[in-house]
Amino acid sequence: MTFPTPLTGVVPPVCTPLTPDREVDVPSLLRLVDHLTDAGVHGLFVLGSSSEAAFLTDRQRRLVVEAVVGHAGGRLPVLAGVIDMTTPRVLDHVRQVTAAGADAVVATAPFYARTHPAEIARHYRLLAAASPVPVIAYDIPASVNTKLPADVVLDLAAEGVLAGLKDSSGDLAGFREVVTGARDRSDVRGFSALTGSELLVDAALAMGADGAVPGLANVDPHGYVRLDALCRAGDRERARLEQERLCALFGMVCVGDTGRMGGSSSALGAFKAALHLRGVIDCPVTAEPQVPLSAHEVERVGKFLAGAGLL
Amino acid sequence: MTFPTPLTGVVPPVCTPLTPDREVDVPSLLRLVDHLTDAGVHGLFVLGSSSEAAFLTDRQRRLVVEAVVGHAGGRLPVLAGVIDMTTPRVLDHVRQVTAAGADAVVATAPFYARTHPAEIARHYRLLAAASPVPVIAYDIPASVNTKLPADVVLDLAAEGVLAGLKDSSGDLAGFREVVTGARDRSDVRGFSALTGSELLVDAALAMGADGAVPGLANVDPHGYVRLDALCRAGDRERARLEQERLCALFGMVCVGDTGRMGGSSSALGAFKAALHLRGVIDCPVTAEPQVPLSAHEVERVGKFLAGAGLL
Amino acid sequence: MTFPTPLTGVVPPVCTPLTPDREVDVPSLLRLVDHLTDAGVHGLFVLGSSSEAAFLTDRQRRLVVEAVVGHAGGRLPVLAGVIDMTTPRVLDHVRQVTAAGADAVVATAPFYARTHPAEIARHYRLLAAASPVPVIAYDIPASVNTKLPADVVLDLAAEGVLAGLKDSSGDLAGFREVVTGARDRSDVRGFSALTGSELLVDAALAMGADGAVPGLANVDPHGYVRLDALCRAGDRERARLEQERLCALFGMVCVGDTGRMGGSSSALGAFKAALHLRGVIDCPVTAEPQVPLSAHEVERVGKFLAGAGLL
Amino acid sequence: MTFPTPLTGVVPPVCTPLTPDREVDVPSLLRLVDHLTDAGVHGLFVLGSSSEAAFLTDRQRRLVVEAVVGHAGGRLPVLAGVIDMTTPRVLDHVRQVTAAGADAVVATAPFYARTHPAEIARHYRLLAAASPVPVIAYDIPASVNTKLPADVVLDLAAEGVLAGLKDSSGDLAGFREVVTGARDRSDVRGFSALTGSELLVDAALAMGADGAVPGLANVDPHGYVRLDALCRAGDRERARLEQERLCALFGMVCVGDTGRMGGSSSALGAFKAALHLRGVIDCPVTAEPQVPLSAHEVERVGKFLAGAGLL
């Protein structure tokens, strides 16, 4: 389908359910897609960080895009992550996901190699030149150790290289600069400014952001769709209350014992445990080498769900 | 061939020459391998950071290992990097490079996802369980944002999971802890402690390190082989002088204008420019999105070569 | 005066005007205080980061507090920074600024020494035990390399140790956790949650923050007072427009050439140049070793003022 | 006394013994000085990081310098730290410690404010212009978040601004650049290149460093004096063995439970516990807000002493 300019609303980064032996669980994945589309989300982002893209093999990535595009493609836009270290490797992913039908690709700055702003711009220009679909920049310094500068993003938008930004930097002031720049600069048109935050969606939309890509929307898509609608209706107080309910629910990402596992094991483990407890997916396992949650930690996830009225 | 326990001496991380359109230049690669083996190096490490592994596609990586193993395999050990984000993706590379004949695999800690020491240990255990050849840990915090703790490395060595360490951390005190631990712990045997530094090889060997994996050995393999021999002969003063000559030569990595490019473009660009000036490879181009050196910067590389008596 | 519980509104971190030979310029300082109070600010914060407290000697710090308290004390609350490395040194500053009449002290986590959360809590408990006035925590990881965890802040608030927080972390999601926690926890009362951001005041107040401590309020106190009033009146759209005008004005902090100076020289130099251009202070000089702005850079500050309707 | 050019040998950063109520324990301090001088150290460095200078009030700092200069001054050089955030504050310390008789001052780059290389150079030039005694640069990025670039250090040495460097950066390759530059540049004379490492003294001296400033020399000054003598005699193998014994002893810095305290509490607590166990100082207490070692942790310090033959 034609990619909306801009893309607005809630675009969950779709979790990738796995079987106990860590293969992609396609039936669970499609049930998850239905769970999201039934709630009224406005797009789907596969192969993002919350999708464990960094943990999926090339074969598994292809399977995910094909399955989701086959199931939901045409009904709503499907964005696909092309997360890899540098331009030549990312270009291989661009070929794969667009062959499988993705409506846009989402690419980080290069990583592993430390990268200069001039090299980042060159990277995105090469991707845009080769991609048959729009390129969205993915700003995630916690993973790639580079913050995309607002002026680089806006200049690439003006050049027609970037069609949007998913901002997972945690730096709302920097994101605001992109939002207002994309709105006010006459050389930028149709740019989609999307926040990756779970916790500041009301604030980002109030500033003029176009939409949100919150990992927690896997667990509670209705909440984020409601939040988005309240913001668009200008009902700021009820939006704040909905956002605060979702902030409390997000506390689940810290259930994992930090002496035993890292933040990814805890957060992605909690999202999957919640989807399992809610009956959406068959198995809560996460990819290697992530450490599984204990029974007690899963129980705490259940309490977060109960506290948010989801169980 | 059987992997030496320990591997000692000079093991250059072999640069990957590219053609002007950025395909692997196999004839140049084989000339580079001859340049290194003729100088008397003790092993070859392909697909490391100096090899631009992060920039090579899977197809290109396979081509490199096949070419080098086909040319030099059996004569001296060929180690192959398996650089990727997480266990499932690294396992795919392990399959590829061992099918192509690599004698050992060299693996970093997981990256992109922030990773806990328990997850790092789990990662290496899974790699070792699946790999038909020894696993060497690659400690490179500048790229992966995690420092491998000395006790984790030594415990995994004692378990039989790790056969060695390439230390590119810059933390010589931490490396010393691994070197003396591997020597003194009765439960660790045949472990190869290799420094990745260009600048501290004399110091590392004096502490008891087994060998060195210096990127600059592409440019001056004779120098590093001489340095290694002087250290083993106990001729510390001449070793220091040789090391200082190599330290001066290493200054070439800073020729690139920091306003225009990052450190990788400058350092790998300088190594390749030097190999081109010395007549070893046909074309000095680096992979995208690295920025090429200017003519003036290449001229400065030439002056470093002249200063070290290499032109 | 009794410290308000909570303190609300605009509390500028008051710049410290210097003479050409870098002594405190008391007449200019008092004119600046009048400039702020005439605009209707709700409190004054002396000896903060924007006050160049890190650059002032103990004698100069004392002089600043005495002058400002003597001039404005009793009319509105005067908060004083007690910025130093560790508890014993901070306690000396607490004695000095409270002897000079400060109504509250504002203290960072320890720095120089790397510090554990348990040590941070111990630090604040010792300060609160010794201080005759309320203690406000100052979260500024860019300077002290530690982020104050929200739960540590809230627990110390519940204990009666902390009376408030000035959040200069840039992490609005973390600040939101303190804001909602301070509102919802029954064991926390009268806590002042203040944002140190220039750029997100509308968003912070919408979340329930009590007030703002923006360095740019030195330059445009009327703007921030207006912004605060619009937020309290629930006029979100006009608040956003006022905030966006102030965001554009804040662009002045980047006038300094990054090849020639650091961020502090540029930002504090711009604030002081603006105050000088607006006729509030006699001399725009900043403390050593900061690098002065060039004539051309000062001219650019003037353009920012003109663009915001302030010249 | 005239400051040696260069200063060579072992220059312990003298711990500051405290009484149970955290006053400077002068009798213990003088016993510690005797313990060091009797072992044959070549200089004393007071008010460094291992001296808890960051935790001492100005009054306490003055007392320390006066006591040590009064006791040992004239017999061997006394260097004094002037650790504070910026130039004006450091200048106040320069006045104090030189009035008290220090033979040289040791100054870090500015901290708290993020600082540009141009500002660092300006800082040292202003210090040197005002100081009646030589200025030594103190490179300690873990505390001040800036690495002193080798070329900045060497250029300031050539200008006559810096008389030496204490390198506590952990970056031995960068230190080597200063060591060889100071030796080879014709415009640099009499420069003292001192390593602050406990673990790499043999390697640093082998490269040409002039001396060492190891915190652990408080605990085992005889060991470091022996190590220095072996290095100067060219007895590299016995030097390595002595260094390895000291590396094992240094393990004591990790006795503290990281769930309960930070690295400073653990390391300085261990040094003081060791000095107490060895009968040198009366009380092992560290300054606030550091967390004391438990009885069990102190017992482990004792085992390290026993293992090194010191109990």
Side-chain angles (χ1 to χ4, degrees):
Chain A
M1 64 183 294
T2 308
F3 189 76
T5 51
L7 174 63
T8 58
V10 179
V11 185
V14 184
C15 285
T16 307
L18 300 177
T19 63
D21 58 350
R22 296 191 167 79
E23 270 309 320
V24 176
D25 175 355
V26 174
S28 286
L29 175 59
L30 300 186
R31 275 204 305 281
L32 172 55
V33 167
D34 289 340
H35 166 69
L36 300 173
T37 53
D38 291 354
V41 303
H42 307 85
L44 297 170
F45 171 33
V46 297
L47 303 184
S49 303
S50 297
S51 319
E52 297 176 271
F55 299 86
L56 300 178
T57 64
D58 287 355
R59 186 181 52 76
Q60 292 175 324
R61 290 187 182 199
R62 201 157 45 231
L63 184 54
V64 166
V65 185
E66 286 170 353
V68 173
V69 167
H71 192 69
R75 285 191 284 148
L76 75 184
V78 177
L79 293 66
V82 287
I83 295 174
D84 214 317
M85 292 172 254
T86 59
T87 318
R89 295 184 63 81
V90 173
L91 283 173
D92 271 0
H93 294 292
V94 169
R95 267 171 228 118
Q96 294 285 348
V97 301
T98 56
D103 298 306
V105 295
V106 184
T108 70
F111 53 94
Y112 190 86
R114 295 268 160 172
T115 305
H116 189 275
E119 292 159 354
I120 294 173
R122 190 174 174 114
H123 176 67
Y124 282 119
R125 285 190 190 110
L126 290 162
L127 297 185
S131 174
V133 298
V135 176
I136 312 280
Y138 190 172
D139 192 20
I140 184 163
S143 292
V144 308
N145 297 297
T146 315
K147 173 84 183 84
L148 292 180
D151 57 345
V152 169
V153 170
L154 290 168
D155 288 349
L156 291 171
E159 273 184 46
V161 166
L162 291 181
L165 170 72
K166 172 186 191 302
D167 182 287
S168 297
S169 70
D171 173 9
L172 194 65
F175 181 58
R176 178 168 225 163
E177 194 176 340
V178 174
V179 167
T180 56
R183 184 195 64 200
D184 295 343
R185 278 178 60 158
S186 61
D187 55 355
V188 177
R189 294 176 164 273
F191 187 84
S192 305
L194 309 170
T195 177
S197 173
E198 274 88 358
L199 305 170
L200 300 172
V201 174
D202 59 342
L205 294 179
M207 284 171 190
D210 297 293
V213 190
L216 186 65
N218 283 280
V219 177
D220 189 5
H222 296 87
Y224 281 101
V225 168
R226 212 150 47 220
L227 171 54
D228 177 70
L230 289 166
C231 289
R232 289 180 200 283
D235 191 344
R236 300 283 179 91
E237 278 311 294
R238 286 176 62 210
R240 181 176 59 75
L241 293 173
E242 184 66 33
Q243 176 69 79
E244 289 181 359
R245 191 186 61 81
L246 291 162
C247 289
L249 181 63
F250 189 68
M252 73 168 59
V253 301
C254 296
V255 296
D257 173 2
T258 58
R260 212 164 51 81
M261 68 182 73
S264 160
S265 294
S266 178
L268 299 181
F271 288 172
K272 286 188 152 181
L275 287 169
H276 185 239
L277 290 169
R278 297 200 74 191
V280 179
I281 67 174
D282 281 344
C283 168
V285 74
T286 53
E288 294 287 6
Q290 292 172 100
V291 172
L293 298 184
S294 69
H296 172 67
E297 289 160 349
V298 170
E299 201 179 305
R300 289 188 57 208
V301 172
K303 287 185 183 157
F304 278 101
L305 290 175
L310 297 176
L311 263 197
Chain B
M1 64 184 296
T2 308
F3 190 76
T5 50
L7 174 63
T8 58
V10 178
V11 185
V14 185
C15 285
T16 308
L18 300 177
T19 63
D21 57 351
R22 295 191 169 78
E23 271 308 320
V24 176
D25 175 354
V26 174
S28 286
L29 175 59
L30 299 186
R31 274 205 306 281
L32 173 55
V33 167
D34 288 339
H35 166 70
L36 300 173
T37 53
D38 292 354
V41 303
H42 307 86
L44 297 169
F45 171 34
V46 297
L47 303 185
S49 303
S50 296
S51 319
E52 297 175 271
F55 299 87
L56 301 178
T57 64
D58 287 355
R59 186 180 54 75
Q60 292 175 324
R61 289 187 181 198
R62 201 157 44 230
L63 184 54
V64 166
V65 185
E66 286 170 354
V68 173
V69 168
H71 192 70
R75 284 191 286 148
L76 75 184
V78 178
L79 293 66
V82 287
I83 295 174
D84 215 316
M85 293 171 254
T86 58
T87 316
R89 295 184 63 81
V90 173
L91 283 174
D92 271 1
H93 294 292
V94 169
R95 267 171 228 118
Q96 294 284 349
V97 301
T98 56
D103 299 307
V105 295
V106 184
T108 69
F111 53 95
Y112 190 85
R114 295 267 159 173
T115 305
H116 190 274
E119 292 159 353
I120 294 173
R122 190 172 174 117
H123 177 67
Y124 282 119
R125 285 190 190 110
L126 289 162
L127 297 185
S131 174
V133 299
V135 176
I136 313 281
Y138 190 172
D139 191 21
I140 184 163
S143 292
V144 307
N145 296 298
T146 316
K147 173 84 184 81
L148 292 180
D151 57 345
V152 169
V153 170
L154 290 167
D155 288 349
L156 291 171
E159 273 183 49
V161 166
L162 291 180
L165 171 72
K166 172 186 191 303
D167 181 287
S168 296
S169 71
D171 173 9
L172 194 64
F175 182 57
R176 178 169 226 162
E177 195 176 340
V178 174
V179 167
T180 55
R183 184 195 64 202
D184 295 344
R185 279 178 59 158
S186 61
D187 55 355
V188 178
R189 294 176 164 273
F191 187 84
S192 304
L194 309 170
T195 177
S197 173
E198 275 88 358
L199 305 170
L200 300 173
V201 174
D202 59 342
L205 293 179
M207 284 171 192
D210 298 293
V213 190
L216 186 66
N218 283 280
V219 177
D220 190 4
H222 297 86
Y224 280 100
V225 168
R226 213 151 44 221
L227 171 55
D228 177 70
L230 288 166
C231 289
R232 286 179 203 284
D235 191 345
R236 301 281 178 92
E237 278 311 296
R238 286 175 63 209
R240 183 175 58 76
L241 293 172
E242 185 66 32
Q243 176 69 80
E244 289 181 359
R245 191 185 61 80
L246 291 162
C247 289
L249 181 63
F250 189 68
M252 72 168 58
V253 302
C254 297
V255 296
D257 173 2
T258 57
R260 211 164 51 82
M261 69 183 73
S264 160
S265 294
S266 178
L268 298 180
F271 288 171
K272 286 188 152 181
L275 286 170
H276 185 239
L277 290 170
R278 296 200 73 191
V280 179
I281 67 175
D282 281 345
C283 169
V285 74
T286 53
E288 295 286 6
Q290 292 172 99
V291 171
L293 297 183
S294 69
H296 172 67
E297 288 160 350
V298 170
E299 201 179 305
R300 289 188 58 209
V301 171
K303 286 184 184 159
F304 277 101
L305 289 175
L310 296 177
L311 265 196
Chain C
M1 65 182 295
T2 308
F3 190 76
T5 50
L7 174 63
T8 59
V10 180
V11 184
V14 185
C15 285
T16 307
L18 300 177
T19 63
D21 57 350
R22 295 190 168 77
E23 270 308 319
V24 176
D25 175 355
V26 174
S28 286
L29 175 59
L30 299 187
R31 275 204 307 281
L32 173 55
V33 166
D34 288 341
H35 166 69
L36 300 173
T37 54
D38 291 355
V41 302
H42 307 87
L44 297 169
F45 171 33
V46 297
L47 304 183
S49 302
S50 296
S51 319
E52 296 174 273
F55 299 87
L56 300 179
T57 64
D58 287 354
R59 185 179 55 74
Q60 292 175 324
R61 290 186 181 199
R62 201 156 46 231
L63 184 55
V64 165
V65 185
E66 286 169 355
V68 173
V69 168
H71 192 69
R75 284 190 286 147
L76 76 183
V78 178
L79 292 67
V82 288
I83 295 173
D84 215 317
M85 292 170 254
T86 58
T87 318
R89 295 184 63 82
V90 172
L91 283 173
D92 272 1
H93 294 292
V94 169
R95 269 172 226 118
Q96 294 285 347
V97 302
T98 55
D103 298 307
V105 295
V106 184
T108 69
F111 53 95
Y112 189 84
R114 294 268 158 170
T115 304
H116 189 275
E119 293 159 352
I120 293 173
R122 190 174 173 116
H123 176 67
Y124 282 120
R125 287 191 188 109
L126 290 162
L127 297 185
S131 173
V133 299
V135 175
I136 313 281
Y138 190 172
D139 191 21
I140 184 162
S143 292
V144 308
N145 297 298
T146 316
K147 173 85 183 82
L148 292 180
D151 57 345
V152 169
V153 170
L154 290 168
D155 288 348
L156 291 171
E159 273 184 47
V161 165
L162 291 180
L165 170 72
K166 172 187 190 304
D167 182 286
S168 297
S169 70
D171 173 10
L172 194 65
F175 182 57
R176 177 169 226 163
E177 195 176 340
V178 173
V179 167
T180 55
R183 183 195 66 201
D184 295 343
R185 279 177 60 158
S186 61
D187 55 355
V188 177
R189 295 176 163 272
F191 187 84
S192 305
L194 309 170
T195 177
S197 172
E198 274 88 359
L199 306 170
L200 300 172
V201 174
D202 58 342
L205 294 179
M207 284 171 192
D210 299 292
V213 189
L216 187 65
N218 283 278
V219 176
D220 190 4
H222 297 85
Y224 280 101
V225 168
R226 212 150 47 219
L227 172 55
D228 176 70
L230 289 165
C231 289
R232 287 178 202 286
D235 191 344
R236 299 282 179 91
E237 278 311 295
R238 286 176 63 210
R240 183 176 58 76
L241 293 172
E242 184 66 33
Q243 176 69 79
E244 289 181 359
R245 191 186 61 81
L246 290 162
C247 288
L249 181 64
F250 190 68
M252 72 168 60
V253 301
C254 296
V255 296
D257 172 2
T258 57
R260 211 165 51 82
M261 69 182 74
S264 160
S265 293
S266 179
L268 299 181
F271 287 171
K272 286 187 152 181
L275 286 170
H276 184 239
L277 290 169
R278 296 200 74 192
V280 179
I281 68 174
D282 281 345
C283 168
V285 73
T286 53
E288 295 286 7
Q290 292 171 99
V291 171
L293 297 183
S294 69
H296 172 67
E297 288 160 349
V298 170
E299 202 179 304
R300 289 188 58 209
V301 171
K303 286 183 184 159
F304 277 100
L305 289 175
L310 296 178
L311 263 197
Chain D
M1 63 183 296
T2 308
F3 189 76
T5 50
L7 175 62
T8 58
V10 179
V11 184
V14 185
C15 285
T16 307
L18 301 177
T19 63
D21 57 349
R22 294 190 168 78
E23 271 308 320
V24 176
D25 175 355
V26 174
S28 286
L29 175 59
L30 300 187
R31 274 204 306 281
L32 173 55
V33 166
D34 288 341
H35 166 68
L36 300 173
T37 53
D38 291 354
V41 303
H42 307 86
L44 297 169
F45 172 34
V46 297
L47 304 184
S49 302
S50 297
S51 318
E52 296 175 271
F55 299 87
L56 300 178
T57 64
D58 287 354
R59 185 180 54 74
Q60 291 175 324
R61 289 186 181 200
R62 200 156 47 229
L63 184 54
V64 165
V65 186
E66 285 170 355
V68 173
V69 168
H71 192 69
R75 284 192 286 148
L76 76 184
V78 178
L79 293 67
V82 288
I83 295 173
D84 215 317
M85 292 170 256
T86 59
T87 318
R89 295 185 62 81
V90 173
L91 283 173
D92 272 1
H93 294 292
V94 170
R95 269 171 226 118
Q96 293 285 348
V97 301
T98 56
D103 298 308
V105 295
V106 184
T108 69
F111 52 95
Y112 190 85
R114 295 268 158 172
T115 304
H116 190 275
E119 293 159 351
I120 294 173
R122 190 174 174 117
H123 176 67
Y124 281 120
R125 286 190 188 109
L126 289 163
L127 297 185
S131 173
V133 299
V135 175
I136 313 281
Y138 190 172
D139 191 20
I140 185 163
S143 292
V144 307
N145 297 298
T146 317
K147 173 85 184 83
L148 292 181
D151 57 344
V152 169
V153 170
L154 290 168
D155 288 349
L156 291 172
E159 274 185 46
V161 165
L162 291 180
L165 170 71
K166 173 186 190 303
D167 182 286
S168 297
S169 70
D171 172 9
L172 195 64
F175 182 57
R176 178 168 226 164
E177 194 177 339
V178 173
V179 167
T180 55
R183 183 195 65 200
D184 295 343
R185 278 176 60 157
S186 61
D187 55 354
V188 177
R189 295 175 164 274
F191 188 84
S192 305
L194 309 170
T195 177
S197 172
E198 274 90 357
L199 305 171
L200 300 173
V201 174
D202 59 341
L205 294 179
M207 285 171 190
D210 298 292
V213 190
L216 187 65
N218 283 279
V219 176
D220 190 5
H222 297 86
Y224 280 101
V225 168
R226 213 151 45 219
L227 172 55
D228 177 70
L230 288 166
C231 290
R232 288 180 201 284
D235 191 344
R236 300 283 179 91
E237 278 311 295
R238 286 175 63 210
R240 182 176 58 76
L241 294 173
E242 184 67 32
Q243 176 69 80
E244 289 181 0
R245 192 186 59 81
L246 290 162
C247 289
L249 180 63
F250 189 68
M252 72 168 59
V253 302
C254 297
V255 296
D257 172 3
T258 57
R260 212 165 49 82
M261 69 182 74
S264 160
S265 294
S266 179
L268 299 181
F271 288 171
K272 286 186 152 182
L275 287 169
H276 185 239
L277 289 169
R278 297 200 73 191
V280 179
I281 67 174
D282 282 345
C283 169
V285 75
T286 53
E288 295 287 4
Q290 291 172 99
V291 171
L293 298 183
S294 69
H296 172 67
E297 289 161 349
V298 170
E299 203 180 303
R300 289 188 57 208
V301 171
K303 285 183 185 160
F304 278 101
L305 289 176
L310 296 177
L311 262 197

